[in-house]
Structure formats: C-alpha cells, structure tokens
C-alpha cells in the first residue's frame, strides 16, 4: 500500500499498472523520495556500479598508500623506522575519518550524499599531491628511485605534501564505511533471494577492493619504484575521478534510506532515564515501554534481550511515567523505549568484540610498512628484472581472491551440510582470521631469521643486502590474504548485521576504525620496541640497516600478542548475544540464533 500513497495523481491506467509493482519491504526509497520499486531499483545493477566504483577508488588509494613508505624515505628523506611510523599514522588517520563519515551519514546527510562529498575531497587531495610532487618535491629531475635520492624541501613544500595526503585520508576515510553499507542497502532483507545476495555482496565488495589494488601493486608500483612518481599519482587521480563519475551515473537506480538524526541524544536519554530510576527493581515479567506503531523511517523495532539489566530501568513505566503519559508530557529523558535501550545494549556488546580485532589490524599494518622494508633488504632480481618490494602484496590480493572463491563455493557449503547449519558464523570466521594472522607473523619471523643468515657482510646500505630471494616472502603475504577474507569480510557482515537500522554506517566504521587503531598501536609498538631494544652494541630491532637489527624478534612478538588476543576473543565471542529485530509484523523476527558464538 506504501507504493499507492505516492500514485494518487497518476491516471487510472498508470495507477492500475503500478499497483502490480512490488515495493521493497525494508522502507527503502528511490531518488524521487517514493517507496523503492523492487524491479526498477537496487539489486545487482546498482551493486555492480558500486563494486566498480570501489575498485577504481581503491586503485587510486593504493596507488598512493602502497609505496608511501618508499616515497617518504627516497623523496622526503626519512629513515626506515620514521617512515614506517609515518605510514602507520597516516593509514590510521584514514580509517579514523571513517567515524566522521559514518556519523554524518547516519545522522544528517545519508549514505549517498556522504559518499559523493567525500569522493570529491578524495579527488582534490590526489590532484594536489600530483601537482605538488611534480612542481616541488621531485627535485632534481629523475630523483626518487633507488639510485638518486631527492634534495631537501622547504617547510612550505613539506606542509603542502602533508596537507595533500591528509586530504586523501579524509576523502577516502569518510567514503569507505558508507560505500560498503550503501551497497548492502541495494538488497532487500525481506526478499529471500536478495537477502542471500546481500550476504554475498560483502565478499564481492572485498574482492573488488583487492582487484582494484592489484593494478596499483603491479603496474603503478613498478613505475613509482622506478622514480616515475608523478605518473603514478596522476593515474590515481584519474581513477578516482572516473570512480566518482560512475557513482553519480547510478543516482536514479539506487535505493536510499533517510538518515535517522544524531544518535547521541538517544543514547544519553537511556542512561539518564535509567539513572533517575536507579532504585527501581525490574523483574523479568515486567512489561517495558515500547511504541505501538512501526515506522520505517525510524527503523525496525528491537526485541528485549537479557543482560545489562540496569539499562532496562530506562524503559520501565513508573507511576510517575504513567501519569506523564496520560498528560502527554512524558519526556524521553524520563522514559525510553525498548528499542532505545536495546540500541545501547547492542553497542556495549559489540565493543569487546571490536577491541579484540585491533591487534589483528596491527598484523595487517605490517604489510604496508615492515614487509616492504624487509623485501627491500632481500634479493629482488629475476635475471636483469628488478621486483619492486611493494608489488609482493600482489600475492596477498591473489590469496584473497582464491580464498573467497574456495570459501563461498566449497568450504561454506561443506560446513553447512556437515553441521546442518547456515555455515560458519561471522564470529567463527573472525576467530579463524586471528589464527591465520598468527601463522603469517611466524612465517615472516622465520623468513627474517634466514634473511639475516644470508646477509651480505660489510653492507653499508640495507637495500638488497641479503642473498635470500624476495619470493620467500610469499607465504606471509598468502597467510595475511587468507586471514583478511575471514576477518575483514566477517567483520563487515557482522557489524552491518549487528547494529541498529539507524547506525549501519557506524557498523562499517567500526571495522575501519579497528584498522585505524591497529595502525596507531603498530606505530606505538615500533617506538616502544626501538627504545627498549636499543643498546650500545645494537641500534634496536628495526634500525635503518636491517642487517644490524632483529626484525624477526618483532614479528615473533606480534605472533605472541595475537595468540593472547585470540584467547580473549574466544571468551568474548562465547559471551556475545546476537540482537533480535522485529519487522513490520509481530512474527517477523530476526532468525539468527542469539547463542551462536565461536
């Protein structure tokens, strides 16, 4: 009937035709603000546009990020430890901006407008970096390769460089959590086929991300490693501009959801209302307050769950509340709905799981920093051809693609048949991701151990200072890639499904923010290790010349920390209870088993 409401001005013939059109059941609207017709909006037509957009934007982003550590050492004159920390801080800031993008999207702008605005900022940052590099930073001409370092730069030129890369961080960070959720919005959970497509979308989304970075990690990476930085940066800017144009082309096809307003007051109302009733005892059979009418603008109602009993006081109707309701003067600061209370409970339950994913992101951060520096200190030659160290992440991308295919086509159906379930839960997959991360760090530590054994004596420059082939790094990249499929795809699905309707972008931002904090923790950990491990005889575990350090010990330390994190994660996952939604009718509830854990 929702479709008919907007068709009253149509002719009778048009009206009869449109009565047979089926609208989505999740409250989505089209670009005109009318209820979205299932056949004419969303689904894979819109999703494919978003996947291509994500691939091109990722190509642009990794065209900068994958070689940034080498740009900082060769062009900006930083040493290895300083460059690794700078990359970690920059990458951390990228994903920290995801919280800003998610907040603006969920509260005010909506996901479409937020994606468009931040993509414009992203393009501006890339153009600025391309211009500043060509005009100021790459002097003398041809510098920035292995043989010819660049000269010093003025404070103005350095500031311009950092403004450019942090504009890129702002644009990409604000865009990322919203594009994933916006893509998921194109599928209606009320339709069985589209519900399955929505789950599969997250795997394809992460695959598109990795395919987009494949070009950056091979062709662009090769040109940049050879000193052709400006060409690589302009290619990234062009890719981001094309991504923006394609995104805007799908405007009339997309499905949209209205923003729900600032969630912070709703959260505060629950805590204030519960605190005001701190003396009230709420029994299990007590009825709690909930609005009777269902509103698609406000999202689905959530069913009451056990746990955090203190917060239930906010929805308990006291005699004072009852009198206020009769007089129509009941403020949400005195009485909250069950859905409001459950929103707060939901976030509180997610936080321990989210915290356990941060250390995994510390492992993931090494691929863009220390893995590259380790590869730069190995034999990178195949005959006369030089392999750019950052291009080894191609094996990570291939690993992601292969493992996604194996998981979706083989492993998941096999587990579903064996366990007579829907397959591995998101929490179980994230646990597997942590196990694979431990294996990646052990592998990297062993490679570094043998690299040191094959180190070239009396080497003044760390680059190429070991006879061990760079291809010994392949296993650690493969393990990281496999772990990403289980951890990050699992996170995207988990946080998207386990956040209230009005906080879906925030759910995706949690995944991005764990990467952000992981990079900051990595930076802090490197600084602490360098300070503690430095002695008169040794400049620390990660010095400028890796032959004089013990990078292997740092990798083994990360493996031990991740193993401890895995133990805590399993405990938290067993404690977690899945949220339960109520749909348009009383019988339409979330089918997830609330007790499923690791």
């Amino acid at each position: 009937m929702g479709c008919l409401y907007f068709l009253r001005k149509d002719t009778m013939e048009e009206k009869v035709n449109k009565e047979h059109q089926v609208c989505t059941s999740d409250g989505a609207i089209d670009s005109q603000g009318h209820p979205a017709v299932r056949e004419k909006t969303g689904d894979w037509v819109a999703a494919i546009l978003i996947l291509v957009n994500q691939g091109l934007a990722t190509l642009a982003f990794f065209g900068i990020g994958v070689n940034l550590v080498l740009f900082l050492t060769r062009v900006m004159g930083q040493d290895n430890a300083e460059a690794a920390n700078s990359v970690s801080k920059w990458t951390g800031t990228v994903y920290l901006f995801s919280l800003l993008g998610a907040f603006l999207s969920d509260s005010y702008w909506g996901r479409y407008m937020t994606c468009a605005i931040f993509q414009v900022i992203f393009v501006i940052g890339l153009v600025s970096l391309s211009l500043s590099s060509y005009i100021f930073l790459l002097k003398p001409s041809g510098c920035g390769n292995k043989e010819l370092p660049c000269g010093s730069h003025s404070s103005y030129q350095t500031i311009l460089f950092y403004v450019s890369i942090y504009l890129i961080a702002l644009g990409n960070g604000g865009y990322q959590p919203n594009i994933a959720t916006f893509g998921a919005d194109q599928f209606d959970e009320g339709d069985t086929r589209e519900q399955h497509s929505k789950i599969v979308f997250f795997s394809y989304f992460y695959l598109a991300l990795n395919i987009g970075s494949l070009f950056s990690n091979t062709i662009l990476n090769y040109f940049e490693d050879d000193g052709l930085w400006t060409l690589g940066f302009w290619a990234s800017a062009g890719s981001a501009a094309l991504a923006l144009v394609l995104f805007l082309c799908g405007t009339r096809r997309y499905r949209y959801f209205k923003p729900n307003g600032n969630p912070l007051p709703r959260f505060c109302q629950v805590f204030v209302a519960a605190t005001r009733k701190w003396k009230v005892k709420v029994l299990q059979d007590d009825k709690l307050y909930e609005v009777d009418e269902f509103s698609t603008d406000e999202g689905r109602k959530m069913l009451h769950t056990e746990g955090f009993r203190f917060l239930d006081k906010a929805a308990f109707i006291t005699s004072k509340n009852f009198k206020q309701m009769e007089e129509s003067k009941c403020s949400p600061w005195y009485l909250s709905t069950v859905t409001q209370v459950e929103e707060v409970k939901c976030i509180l339950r997610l936080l321990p799981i989210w915290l356990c994913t941060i250390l995994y992101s510390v492992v993931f951060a090494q691929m863009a920093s220390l893995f590259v520096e380790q590869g730069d200190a190995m034999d990178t030659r195949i005959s006369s051809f030089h392999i750019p160290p950052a291009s080894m992440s191609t094996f990570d991308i291939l690993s992601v693609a292969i493992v996604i295919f194996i998981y979706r086509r083989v492993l998941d159906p096999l587990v579903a048949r064996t366990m007579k379930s829907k397959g591995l839960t998101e929490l179980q997959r994230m646990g597997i991701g942590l196990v694979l991360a431990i294996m990646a760090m052990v592998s990297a530590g062993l490679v570094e151990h043998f690299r040191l054994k094959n180190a070239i004596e009396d080497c003044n420059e760390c680059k190429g200072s070991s006879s061990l082939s760079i291809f010994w790094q392949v296993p650690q990249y493969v393990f990281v890639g496999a772990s990403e499929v289980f951890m990050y795809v699992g996170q995207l699905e988990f946080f998207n499904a386990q956040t209230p309707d009005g906080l879906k972008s925030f759910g995706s931002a949690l995944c991005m923010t764990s990467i952000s904090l992981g990079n900051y923790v990595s930076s802090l950990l490197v600084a602490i290790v360098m300070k503690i491990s430095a002695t008169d005889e040794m400049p620390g575990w990660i010095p400028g010349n890796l032959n004089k350090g013990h990078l292997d010990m740092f990798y083994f330390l990360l493996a031990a920390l991740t193993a401890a994190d895995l133990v805590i994660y399993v405990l938290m996952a067993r404690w977690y209870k899945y949220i339960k939604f109520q749909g348009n009718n009383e019988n339409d509830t979330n089918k997830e088993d609330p007790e499923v854990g690791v």
Side-chain angles (χ1 to χ4, degrees), residues 262-300:
N262 190 344
L264 294 179
R266 297 202 305 271
F267 279 45
C268 292
Q269 286 165 359
V270 172
F271 286 106
V272 171
T275 303
R276 282 175 167 161
K277 304 174 189 174
W278 67 277
K279 291 184 179 181
V280 173
K281 289 185 179 180
V282 181
L283 303 178
Q284 287 188 348
D285 57 350
D286 283 335
K287 292 194 68 175
L288 302 178
Y289 175 67
E290 182 60 282
V291 292
D292 293 329
E293 295 182 0
F294 174 82
S295 171
T296 55
D297 289 342
E298 296 174 1
R300 292 170 292 177

Side-chain angles (χ1 to χ4, degrees), residues 25 64 66 113 122 142 149 180 205 219 248 272 305 341 344 393 445:
S25 61
I64 307 303
V66 75
M113 186 60 68
F122 185 45
F205 179 84
I219 308 300
L248 296 176
V272 171
T305 60
V341 173
V344 177
S393 57

Side-chain angles (χ1 to χ4, degrees), residues 207 210 393-406 474-485:
L207 182 61
N210 280 270
S393 57
T394 302
F395 291 99
D396 165 79
I397 297 166
L398 293 175
S399 175
V400 167
I402 292 170
V403 174
I404 283 179
F405 177 81
I406 293 174
V474 170
Q476 65 202 60
Y477 279 102
V478 169
F479 279 130
V480 170
S483 70
E484 289 176 58
V485 174

